[in-house]
Amino acid sequence: MFIDSHCHLSFPELRERLPDILAAMRAAQVEQAICICTQMEEFETVHALAVAHPQLWATVGVHPDTEDMREPDVAELVRLAGLPRVVAIGETGLDYYRLNGRSVADMEWQRERFRTHIRAARQARKPLVIHTRASAADTLRVLDEEGGEQAGGVFHCFTETAEVALAAVERGYYISFSGIVSFKNAQDLRDLARLLPLDRILIETDSPYLAPVPFRGKTNSPAYVPHVAQAVADAVGLPVAELAAHTTANTRRLFALPEALP
């Protein structure tokens, strides 16, 4: 059995064909998936998916690269994180990839948003789902300044260096591999997989983006997460069933998911 630890089933290209996606998940032995919130305006839809389908779970948060959206405060995030079937706070973090003429100093609004999410995660006792792109040093610094080790969580769709990954693991975080790990030019990620403890690895699709080989370039789906597992299993030298057992146990442990669905 597999769990997709990060997908966006609330996005229209997936939500509009949800029955087919859920059927494909069952056929691929993907027993659960976590639907990630990227803006407060989206939370109601994300949460409704989790409430309606026992194999789906929800998070609450605002993506670091989403500008001009409603900013939640700590109290709102804590309140929504306490709703049934909400298992984490995020997607949050920092993203300096598209500065669009601005300096890193100009991105203080991102850092303040990230701090709000960390504080909420600590108070709600829910893990963080962290996005970091071209911003790893600041991501770790802000986590340290805000006591992020007390919340724990996952660095999702990981594409940073092995040094960053090991620093995250030292702080109690998990590292999640997406379909990128199956790409021909991603040998550094496959090398990283061999360095990580097996009890710190998750797998995800980040659907509808980043479909793994052999579906690269197509719309991604949680049903494709076994292909991510296969790429990681090949990298670490394990049978895919053994890798799946580790990542499923890790995902359940991090997000406090039940071992059996109702």
Side-chain angles (χ1 to χ4, degrees), residues 194-213:
R194 288 195 292 272
L195 294 176
L196 294 174
L198 283 172
D199 64 357
R200 288 288 146 178
I201 295 176
L202 304 187
I203 53 175
E204 65 173 90
T205 61
D206 206 9
S207 305
Y209 310 117
L210 302 173
V213 175

Side-chain angles (χ1 to χ4, degrees), residues 19-220:
D20 291 339
I21 288 173
L22 296 178
M25 285 173 59
R26 287 192 295 272
Q29 294 186 301
V30 181
E31 67 170 1
Q32 299 179 68
I34 299 175
C35 300
I36 304 296
C37 181
T38 61
Q39 53 186 276
M40 299 309 294
E41 291 82 350
E42 176 193 25
F43 174 74
E44 193 171 310
T45 300
V46 173
H47 187 235
L49 286 170
V51 169
H53 303 282
Q55 67 271 58
L56 303 181
W57 304 89
T59 71
V60 59
V62 184
H63 192 287
D65 204 25
T66 306
E67 297 189 57
D68 302 320
M69 294 292 174
R70 184 168 67 79
E71 296 285 352
D73 59 17
V74 170
E76 182 179 17
L77 288 171
V78 170
R79 178 178 64 82
L80 295 177
L83 292 176
R85 306 195 65 75
V86 178
V87 297
I89 287 180
E91 171 173 1
T92 184
L94 300 174
D95 192 324
Y96 299 161
Y97 185 71
R98 297 183 185 88
L99 291 176
N100 295 325
R102 296 169 293 188
S103 70
V104 168
D106 294 329
M107 308 306 282
E108 183 61 23
W109 61 273
Q110 276 197 10
R111 293 185 285 275
E112 283 306 308
R113 179 186 286 176
F114 188 25
R115 292 180 190 278
T116 296
H117 284 68
I118 298 168
R119 292 167 189 170
R122 290 179 57 193
Q123 189 170 328
R125 298 185 178 181
K126 293 287 175 75
L128 290 158
V129 176
I130 294 178
H131 169 110
T132 182
R133 191 177 190 193
S135 57
D138 271 4
T139 299
L140 292 170
R141 177 180 62 81
V142 173
L143 272 176
D144 288 346
E145 289 174 356
E146 295 293 336
E149 288 185 37
Q150 296 175 37
V154 56
F155 279 58
H156 104 94
C157 191
F158 194 85
T159 56
E160 300 291 342
T161 65
E163 181 182 14
V164 173
L166 295 174
V169 169
E170 287 175 2
R171 290 161 171 80
Y173 282 76
Y174 293 75
I175 302 298
S176 182
F177 292 98
S178 70
I180 294 174
V181 74
S182 70
F183 296 176
K184 184 177 180 181
N185 62 351
Q187 186 58 47
D188 56 338
L189 288 180
R190 292 187 285 275
D191 292 341
L192 168 62
R194 288 195 292 272
L195 294 176
L196 294 174
L198 283 172
D199 64 357
R200 288 288 146 178
I201 295 176
L202 304 187
I203 53 175
E204 65 173 90
T205 61
D206 206 9
S207 305
Y209 310 117
L210 302 173
V213 175
F215 304 102
R216 187 175 183 182
K218 299 181 180 180
T219 301
N220 204 357

